[in-house]
Amino acid sequence: MLAVVVVAVLGVVFAGALAAGQAVVARHRAGGAADLAALAAAGQWMRGEAAACDDAAEVASAQEARLVSCSVYGEVSDVMVEAGAGPYRVAVRARAGPAGPVAAGLTPRGSPWQQEPPGSPANPGYPGRPGRPGLP
């Protein structure tokens, strides 16, 4: 009797692990398809939103996913793709476009390395960067 209970508990644990694995696979599949679809749309922005989104839908379907939404404004595309594995369906959003220059005086969120001059107390420098004592 104890052996039957142990086998049943192990079966439930393994079924839960399998379900969690399928959910992770669905998320990764949708994420990859969304990234590729966004890149495809951003690469075709000059042809207009309809043509760019058609390319995004084609790329998403090649990844066994479905394009849920697509918009292109300027050179930036914003897509949402849905994909699944087993009983799980996951929708993931992705954006793509040029990185663009950083405006003068602006730095990534709160980065002291570009805001303070090298050698100041807020920016002692780091290996390979001027301003650190003992380095060029």
Side-chain angles (χ1 to χ4, degrees), residues 32-60 67-81 94-98:
D35 289 341
L36 290 173
L39 288 170
Q44 299 298 321
W45 69 271
M46 75 293 281
R47 291 177 44 211
E49 184 171 358
C53 290
D54 285 345
D55 281 357
E58 185 177 327
V59 168
L67 185 68
V68 176
S69 68
C70 176
S71 62
V72 178
Y73 43 96
E75 297 177 23
V76 177
S77 67
D78 190 351
V79 301
M80 182 173 289
V81 172
R95 296 181 70 196

Side-chain angles (χ1 to χ4, degrees), residues 19-40:
Q22 283 184 329
V24 169
V25 167
R27 166 61 181 91
H28 284 275
R29 189 174 290 169
D35 289 341
L36 290 173
L39 288 170

